[in-house]
Amino acid sequence: FDNLKDSAAAGNVLHVASRVFLKDGNDFLPEFTDNCRLFYDSDPERLNYSADAEGLRQHINYWVENKTDLIMQDFVQPGLFNVNTKSVLASAMNFKGTWESKFDDDLVKQTRFQMPDGETLHLDLMFQQGVFFTGFSESLGAQYLELPYAGGQLRMVLLLPTQRAGLSQLESKLEHLDFRLLHDDIAVNTSTSVLMPRFKMEASHNMKDILKALGANHVHLTVQPDHAEYTYTQDITHILHRSALEVDKDGYDGPQPYTKGRQKNKIIT
C-alpha cells in the first residue's frame, strides 16, 4: 500500500477509499479511531440511517466516487442494505500508472487477439520497441516481460503462456510464486518489441464470504452505546471491496494523491 502511494511523485496515481460506517446509537472506541487514522488515513463515520438504507448506499457511493476521482461509481449495488444493517466496511482501490517508456501514438496496430475461451477479437494493440527485462520460464511454460513505471520504483510483470490454451494452467502455478526470485533466475535486459492491448481490470468482492472460507467466521467491532460506560462486540454487517488496474499507452493526466518518502523496485503482477 505505502509502496504504491510513494510512487505518485513520478506520475503514478493510487486512489484509496477505506472507511468503517457505523449506525448511530453506538460509538467507536478512541483507540480504534486512532488506528484508522494511523494505518488507513481515514476517520470512521457514524450515520443515522435507521429508516433510510438507500440513503446509506448513496452516501457511501458518493464518498467512494470522490475519493477515487470519480473512477469508481455505484460501489454499493441497490438492495444490499436494509434496516438490519449495523455497520459497513468499505474499501476501494484504483491504480493508474505512467509508463517509463511510453507506447508510440503512431504505432497502434490492429491485429487478432485470442481470448482464453478461444474467441478471436480484432483489437487495436499498443506497440513500442525498447530495452526491457525479458526471459522464458520452462516451469511456468511462459514468456516473461517487465514494463517499468515512471520513476523506476514499480514494474508490471507480464507472463504470456506459450500454449494457446495454457492460461488456466499458468494461473494455477502463480499462488506461491516469488516474482523476485523469478526475476533473478531468468530476467535479462534485451531489446524487445512489445505488442499488447489496452485493458482495465476490476474485481468486486463481498469479503465476509472470503474471510469465512479462510476460517474467520466473525469479524466484529467493539463499540460503546451512547450514554453508557460498557462496551460490547457486534459483527460487521458488510465488508465490501473493489479494486481496479488500468493499462493504456500513455498513463494518467489528473490529480495525484499525497506522497511521502521513496522506496525502490516494487513489482506489480
Side-chain angles (χ1 to χ4, degrees):
F1 174 76
D2 282 337
N3 294 335
L4 290 173
K5 288 181 70 175
D6 290 344
S7 74
N12 304 306
V13 176
L14 176 70
H15 295 109
V16 177
S18 183
R19 176 169 285 179
V20 177
F21 299 88
L22 180 66
K23 189 175 184 178
D24 212 7
N26 291 304
D27 204 354
F28 301 99
L29 299 186
E31 53 266 35
F32 178 80
T33 300
D34 291 343
N35 284 334
C36 287
R37 292 169 179 166
L38 177 63
F39 295 110
Y40 301 102
D41 193 24
S42 175
D43 283 329
E45 184 176 357
R46 289 197 341 169
L47 295 171
N48 184 1
Y49 54 85
S50 298
D52 189 13
E54 176 60 18
L56 170 64
R57 184 184 78 88
Q58 293 179 4
H59 177 84
I60 293 177
N61 283 353
Y62 179 78
W63 175 78
V64 170
E65 287 177 12
N66 278 275
K67 292 289 286 185
T68 62
D69 197 26
L70 303 181
I71 291 172
M72 289 195 175
Q73 302 186 19
D74 298 322
F75 178 79
V76 183
Q77 297 301 308
L80 182 63
F81 298 155
N82 55 44
V83 294
N84 295 317
T85 300
K86 296 179 180 179
S87 55
V88 179
L89 171 55
S91 172
M93 182 180 294
N94 179 80
F95 177 76
K96 178 68 184 287
T98 299
W99 299 119
E100 190 168 77
S101 173
K102 293 187 178 181
F103 289 84
D104 195 314
D105 285 337
D106 299 326
L107 294 178
V108 176
K109 300 182 177 183
Q110 186 174 88
T111 189
R112 292 184 300 173
F113 186 86
Q114 188 172 46
M115 302 294 287
D117 61 3
E119 181 184 5
T120 298
L121 303 177
H122 287 83
L123 300 179
D124 289 331
L125 300 186
M126 309 178 294
F127 178 82
Q128 66 168 299
Q129 177 83 30
V131 177
F132 303 102
F133 279 112
T134 64
F136 174 74
S137 170
E138 290 190 18
S139 61
L140 296 176
Q143 297 177 0
Y144 175 97
L145 169 68
E146 293 181 15
L147 293 180
Y149 287 106
Q153 296 173 274
L154 299 173
R155 295 167 285 158
M156 174 176 282
V157 173
L158 299 166
L159 293 171
L160 178 66
T162 53
Q163 300 296 322
R164 285 193 174 184
L167 182 60
S168 60
Q169 193 174 32
L170 172 61
E171 289 175 335
S172 69
K173 301 175 182 178
L174 298 182
E175 183 175 356
H176 302 292
L177 182 65
D178 188 323
F179 281 88
R180 289 172 178 81
L181 291 179
L182 182 64
H183 167 93
D184 293 342
D185 287 343
I186 67 172
V188 178
N189 244 348
T190 310
S191 179
T192 307
S193 298
V194 180
L195 192 66
M196 62 182 288
R198 293 169 294 202
F199 63 89
K200 181 176 180 179
M201 299 172 61
E202 282 199 18
S204 297
H205 302 286
N206 181 336
M207 295 302 296
K208 287 197 76 171
D209 294 339
I210 294 174
L211 291 170
K212 284 181 179 179
L214 295 173
N217 293 319
H218 299 283
V219 181
H220 59 259
L221 288 170
T222 300
V223 298
Q224 184 171 16
D226 291 346
H227 313 297
E229 296 188 5
Y230 66 90
T231 63
Y232 72 99
T233 60
Q234 66 169 231
D235 280 358
I236 299 178
T237 312
H238 296 286
I239 304 176
L240 307 175
H241 175 74
R242 183 190 296 179
S243 57
L245 170 70
E246 189 171 350
V247 174
D248 63 20
K249 64 183 179 63
D250 296 317
Y252 185 84
D253 296 316
Q256 297 183 4
Y258 170 78
T259 63
K260 57 178 183 178
R262 295 175 70 88
Q263 294 186 21
K264 312 187 197 175
N265 242 358
K266 309 301 176 184
I267 295 178
I268 295 177
T269 58

